Amino acid sequence: MKKRLLLGLALALGSVTVMAADAGNMIRTSGLNASPDATSQSLGMVRSQESVTILERDGGWYKVKTDAGRTGWVRMANVRLGDTAETREEPGFWGSLFSFTGRSRTSTTTATTGIRGLSEEDINSAVPNPAAVDRLASWQSSAAEARGFAGQAGLAKTDVAELQEGE
């Protein structure tokens, strides 16, 4: 089971760059970088609520083009897909009444961090990368390391009865 999970992660990580060409809207003001790396050259800022076109994805970064024509990389978490100034609507009475949910509007966009931007075709054509699985496995903590960490955090072992099928 652990090997399958690691293989799945490796497959997802192996397909790091995907063409998206989706419209989006900046959730917050964000740095526009020259490459998908927090330490890369800054190309300026992209304002909160600014509409962008997503050109490419690399890991947790989107290459975007702003309405002003600037192109660069922003963190994926700072972009709301499918939400542009043209598509946003006022929430109305019921939307305002239930605004405590944190959702600004109804959306058909589903965001899943880690695989957002991969199509079914990308997943089906992914090629196993055993070296990446081995690299992921090398990051696994030993039982002694896990116990030491738990002890530092003040966690205690608790025995829990195994669930039976159907519970």
Side-chain angles (χ1 to χ4, degrees):
M1 178 66 185
K2 211 183 276 188
K3 285 283 189 187
R4 277 195 209 163
L5 178 61
L6 291 174
L7 182 59
L9 287 171
L11 290 174
L13 293 173
S15 304
V16 294
T17 304
V18 177
M19 294 304 290
D22 281 331
N25 189 52
M26 298 302 296
I27 297 169
R28 64 187 60 84
T29 299
S30 175
L32 187 67
N33 293 3
S35 63
D37 181 341
T39 62
S40 70
Q41 176 188 0
S42 173
L43 303 176
M45 301 298 283
V46 185
R47 293 181 330 262
S48 175
Q49 304 304 316
E50 188 171 345
S51 295
V52 295
T53 301
I54 299 166
L55 305 173
E56 193 175 329
R57 176 178 174 238
D58 189 344
W61 295 81
Y62 280 141
K63 184 174 187 179
V64 299
K65 182 174 184 179
T66 67
D67 286 343
R70 297 184 305 147
T71 302
W73 294 87
V74 296
R75 291 187 186 274
M76 182 171 66
N78 294 338
V79 179
R80 180 179 296 129
L81 293 179
D83 187 24
T84 63
E86 294 78 35
T87 62
R88 275 194 310 280
E89 299 173 9
E90 291 299 316
F93 173 77
W94 291 109
S96 296
L97 183 63
F98 294 106
S99 64
F100 62 86
T101 64
R103 292 188 56 96
S104 58
R105 67 181 184 89
T106 302
S107 172
T108 58
T109 301
T110 302
T112 306
T113 304
I115 62 169
R116 185 165 106 181
L118 294 178
S119 68
E120 185 176 346
E121 180 182 334
D122 294 327
I123 293 170
N124 289 335
S125 63
V127 178
N129 185 344
V133 173
D134 291 341
R135 195 168 55 249
L136 284 172
S138 73
W139 296 343
Q140 182 178 354
S141 299
S142 70
E145 291 170 323
R147 278 191 297 277
F149 178 79
Q152 289 174 352
L155 303 176
K157 179 181 175 182
T158 303
D159 291 323
V160 178
E162 184 176 331
L163 290 175
Q164 300 301 316
E165 191 171 327
E167 285 188 82

